[in-house]
């Protein structure tokens, strides 16, 4: 999309700078998101004044927008752009895979699944990656997982079938 073009032309700092224009626009023209964030901050920090809450909401939107830019940038990159502060986690994944054991990684964090998949692929940690992605009730395929070429699969969750049964079949076949 347009953010990918802007990142290619101007870099990450340029894209982050543009968020200074995009986030206030989103704040003004997305009343549902603003109200939901205001409710969160009222519960989380009831001592905050109205104006303190509004500043927190804008900051929260900016951080979420940065995550979206990061996701696009990592999708464009051929090498890891981000360093894990928990390097031991990468070593645990590597060790398990080197010993012929598979892994089931479960995550439900905003922006985390596609960046995690990119890190696994870029670091050559595994050739078989099976992903179930729940995001707003929909499932998205990401370019970090090439489902046919590398033996990786995205398990499509349609709201009716439970992915646990798909995982059970994968485990029975010895794919993980």
């Amino acid at each position: 999309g347009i953010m990918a073009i802007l990142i290619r032309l101007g870099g990450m700092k340029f894209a982050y700078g543009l968020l200074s224009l995009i986030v206030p626009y989103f704040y003004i023209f997305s009343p549902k998101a603003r109200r939901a964030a205001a409710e969160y901050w009222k519960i989380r920090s009831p001592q905050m004044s109205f104006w303190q809450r509004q500043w927190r909401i804008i900051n929260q939107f900016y951080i979420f927008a940065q995550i979206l830019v990061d996701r696009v940038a990592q999708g464009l990159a051929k090498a890891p752009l981000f360093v894990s502060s928990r390097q031991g986690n990468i070593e645990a994944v590597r060790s398990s895979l080197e010993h012929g054991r598979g892994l089931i990684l479960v995550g439900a964090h905003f922006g985390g699944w596609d960046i995690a998949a990119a890190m696994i692929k870029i670091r050559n940690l595994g050739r078989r990656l099976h992903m179930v992605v729940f995001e707003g009730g929909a499932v998205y395929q990401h370019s970090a997982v090439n489902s046919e070429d590398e033996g990786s699969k995205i398990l499509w969750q349609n709201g009716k079938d439970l992915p646990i049964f798909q995982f059970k079949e994968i485990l029975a076949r010895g794919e993980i």
Side-chain angles (χ1 to χ4, degrees), residues 59-79:
N59 188 44
Q60 179 180 348
F61 288 169
Y62 187 79
I63 291 168
F64 285 167
Q66 281 182 313
I67 292 169
L68 293 173
V69 169
D70 293 347
R71 289 171 71 176
V72 171
Q74 186 58 69
L76 296 171
K78 294 184 193 290

Side-chain angles (χ1 to χ4, degrees), residues 44 89 97 126:
R44 172 75 168 75
N89 293 345
L97 294 171

Side-chain angles (χ1 to χ4, degrees), residues 12 16 69-71 73-74 79-84 115 119 123:
M12 294 284 287
Y16 286 156
V69 169
D70 293 347
R71 289 171 71 176
Q74 186 58 69
L81 294 178
F82 308 101
V83 177
S84 172
I115 290 180
M119 292 300 126
R123 295 172 190 256

Side-chain angles (χ1 to χ4, degrees), residues 92-164:
V93 169
R94 186 182 316 277
S95 173
S96 180
L97 294 171
E98 285 173 356
H99 289 91
R101 294 185 308 254
L103 296 167
I104 297 176
L105 305 176
V106 179
H109 190 270
F110 176 78
W113 66 269
D114 52 350
I115 290 180
M119 292 300 126
I120 288 170
K121 182 178 178 185
I122 288 169
R123 295 172 190 256
N124 292 320
L125 293 178
R127 299 204 70 40
R128 291 185 300 202
L129 174 65
H130 300 273
M131 292 177 53
V132 177
V133 182
F134 300 90
E135 205 167 296
V139 178
Y140 299 94
Q141 183 169 3
H142 190 269
S143 61
V145 177
N146 188 337
S147 62
E148 300 304 321
D149 293 344
E150 296 186 19
S152 299
K153 296 180 181 116
I154 293 182
L155 304 178
W156 298 99
Q157 202 285 330
N158 60 15
K160 296 177 186 168
D161 300 325
L162 297 174
I164 192 72

Side-chain angles (χ1 to χ4, degrees), residues 11-25:
M12 294 284 287
K13 287 184 181 181
F14 178 68
Y16 286 156
L18 286 177
L19 295 180
S20 302
L21 302 172
I22 296 168
V23 168
Y25 177 86

